[in-house]
Amino acid sequence: AHLTLLVRDKSFGDEPGLQGNLLLDRLLGATLHLCSGSDYLRQGGDLAAMNRINEQVAAELRRQGRVPYIVPVGGTTPLGTWGYLSAVEELRQQLQPEEGAAA
């Protein structure tokens, strides 16, 4: 997984650390692509700007022969919605007691 992370200009050259989701990202082997706040503002400073920045990262990955799937800011896509519904159904099935199991 490749993730684009918006950081403050003063923190741009620094290691983003291992707090919160960053720890999980690192444990799962994600590659981080940092975007400075000033670059974000030059792109427009809105959700469309972040989508353009994500597309730039995806274009670089395509040049490397990869096939990226861009998840838009907020993560809401029809495919993502079906993924959540599928996960809820899987959890529901796992929580049902097995037939013949002692109560």
Side-chain angles (χ1 to χ4, degrees), residues 79-96:
L79 179 60
T81 301
W82 281 112
Y84 275 107
L85 291 172
S86 179
V88 168
E89 176 59 21
E90 182 179 332
L91 285 171
R92 188 189 66 74
Q93 290 175 8
Q94 291 175 9
L95 293 173
Q96 288 182 343

Side-chain angles (χ1 to χ4, degrees), residues 17-37:
L18 295 174
Q19 298 176 9
N21 286 344
L22 288 173
L23 176 60
L24 292 174
D25 298 340
R26 296 294 177 82
L27 287 172
L28 296 172
T31 300
L32 298 179
H33 300 269
L34 302 181
C35 174
S36 69

Side-chain angles (χ1 to χ4, degrees), residues 9-83:
D9 284 350
K10 66 180 183 178
S11 306
F12 182 68
D14 298 339
E15 168 62 34
L18 295 174
Q19 298 176 9
N21 286 344
L22 288 173
L23 176 60
L24 292 174
D25 298 340
R26 296 294 177 82
L27 287 172
L28 296 172
T31 300
L32 298 179
H33 300 269
L34 302 181
C35 174
S36 69
S38 58
D39 284 343
Y40 170 68
L41 291 174
R42 270 194 292 279
Q43 294 280 342
D46 56 8
L47 291 178
M50 210 57 228
N51 287 333
R52 283 189 292 278
I53 291 164
N54 286 334
E55 180 52 47
Q56 291 168 359
V57 171
E60 176 58 32
L61 292 170
R62 285 187 204 99
R63 283 190 287 277
Q64 296 171 13
R66 297 178 181 220
V67 184
Y69 178 81
I70 299 174
V71 177
V73 175
T76 51
T77 64
L79 179 60
T81 301
W82 281 112

